[in-house]
Amino acid sequence: MDMMKKVPIREQDPAVRATNFDEVCLGYNEEEAVAEAQRCLDCKNPRCVTGCPVNISIPAFIQEVKNRNFAKASEIISESSALPAVCGRVCPQETQCEGVCVRGIKGEAVSIGKLERFTADWAREHGISAENKAVKTGQKVAVIGSGPSGLTCAGDLAKMGYDVTIFEALHKAGGVLVYGIPEFRLPKDSVVAHEVENVKKLGVKIETDTIIGRSVSIDELMDQEGFDAVFIGSGAGLPMFMHIPGETASGVFSANEFLTRNNLMKAFRSDYDTPIHCGRKVAVVGGGNVAMDAARTALRLGAEVHIVYRRSEEELPARREEVQHAKEEGIIFNLLTNPTEILVNDDGWVRGIRVIHMELGEPDASGRRRPVPIEGSEEEFEVDTVIMALGTTPNPLIRNTTKGLDTTRKGGIVAEEATGQTSREGVFAGGDAVTGAATVILAMGAGKTAAKGIDAYLKAKRGQ
């Protein structure tokens, strides 16, 4: 075994997986996981831990995998993470824990994410879950949203002894994990539902179909329902558009709607009565992970799919793994290309897209080179569906129905970075509701931070 290289991960063949919604990555088996764990140097000052937004004791759990103590490895991870099987699949480890792995200086970093996934899957398959032996404090906390930040905050608070209730607007718990990330990257019934159930086993109650700001307000939760603190983890579900001609035509979707219909409402399955239009030729505008998810979903629904992105491949914000998978499956990348108009038939349906070609100029505020239009380079090409994957912002409903809640110009809730405390006493916030659209693991980190902040606040209230 070459200790400088990762143990290869098994995947579905691209030609096969492009026709189904089964998980692409097949994960490590026991022998592969143990072999990969042996590559860990067990550093005295593990940079991987500080590179992890939820500070999992990475070398400790990997050493247990190496010694085949998989149950102990799971126990170590669960001390820090409520969603290990999710994180092992969708976190950008290459820019976090693996990005600072010492083994990666002269070779390939340890496959920390794949080992986390293996450990979590092993625990699920063997019926192992975390126990909660906390002494109850008698104080109630409401958590708004059952996405990564809400589930993390709720789980941590339950382990501290608080009576926690999550309020979820949709009919199923999981937030972006169930409506945003496709089945072929993150299986819903076997992975997401199990990890939600583990949070419930800690004593957390989840009330679905409850829209905060409509069903009940934060003011009512605190003033009438007796909640001592509230955490807002409602995410960023309001899609952004380009505001170009033709954008309101039939056949134009936000990636949010397209993915929600397919993931949460199972539009891709013939036995679900929730169909969605997906034409013969689809343009997905954007270059992030959501764009890759929408493009790869449309491909599996039978379309020829083009990614239309205004910068070059080097600037694509999506994970390298997702870009590579998209290419292998046959997604066509129209880079340095920006839409200027969506062309519409007389019947109101999309018939094509007009684009202008770009070149890269000086870096902008993001540090990436600014795309500059090339005069006279416009052209048209035929598509019958356009999916806008340009990012999302927080829904204004909560900020518009809650007294004393400061927000930013872009609609994010203002919260202290160290505690999650907002301008309203007893109300905390974190994740995409504060920062705008970001990653699952950063939302989880914000949920952990807020749980600590809420604990300190409520301890002070009860005189401790």
Side-chain angles (χ1 to χ4, degrees), residues 73-96:
S74 172
E75 180 185 327
I76 291 169
I77 294 174
S78 67
E79 291 171 0
S80 303
S81 175
L83 306 170
V86 168
C87 290
R89 286 168 165 84
V90 304
C91 283
Q93 289 96 2
E94 65 275 9
T95 61
Q96 295 176 160

Side-chain angles (χ1 to χ4, degrees), residues 126-269:
H126 289 79
I128 295 172
S129 58
E131 293 183 32
N132 188 9
K133 300 177 181 178
V135 177
K136 293 293 185 180
T137 68
Q139 292 169 300
K140 293 170 57 178
V141 181
V143 172
I144 301 171
S146 64
S149 64
L151 290 170
T152 299
C153 186
D156 280 11
L157 287 169
K159 287 188 282 188
M160 296 172 186
Y162 295 101
D163 183 350
V164 184
T165 302
I166 295 176
F167 295 95
E168 169 55 49
L170 298 176
H171 63 279
K172 188 174 287 188
V176 70
L177 306 177
V178 294
Y179 73 73
I181 302 175
E183 190 79 12
F184 55 81
R185 280 218 294 141
L186 184 62
K188 307 296 173 270
D189 293 339
S190 60
V191 175
V192 178
H194 177 81
E195 301 216 315
V196 170
E197 195 60 34
N198 278 347
V199 172
K200 291 170 70 174
K201 286 179 181 178
L202 295 173
V204 174
K205 297 180 285 293
I206 301 179
E207 293 191 17
T208 56
D209 298 309
T210 305
I211 303 174
I212 302 301
R214 287 288 182 267
S215 307
V216 64
S217 69
I218 287 177
D219 297 335
E220 290 169 337
L221 287 174
M222 301 188 79
D223 299 339
Q224 299 174 27
E225 301 290 335
F227 284 94
D228 299 283
V230 174
F231 172 71
I232 303 171
S234 50
L238 189 64
M240 297 167 65
F241 288 89
M242 294 186 71
H243 306 294
I244 58 177
E247 208 167 28
T248 59
S250 298
V252 179
F253 295 91
S254 71
N256 254 33
E257 178 185 1
F258 185 75
L259 290 171
T260 298
R261 282 181 174 273
N262 277 283
N263 300 333
L264 179 68
M265 300 168 71
K266 302 291 191 288
F268 68 91
R269 285 176 51 170

Side-chain angles (χ1 to χ4, degrees), residues 45-53 55-59 62 96-98 100-102 112:
N45 296 303
R47 297 190 297 180
C48 55
V49 176
T50 55
C52 172
N55 300 125
I56 292 172
S57 298
I58 292 169
I62 290 179
Q96 295 176 160
C97 54
E98 294 180 20
V100 292
C101 174
V102 172
I112 297 168

Side-chain angles (χ1 to χ4, degrees), residues 423-434:
S423 54
R424 167 87 183 262
E425 184 184 347
V427 177
F428 296 73
D432 292 3
V434 172

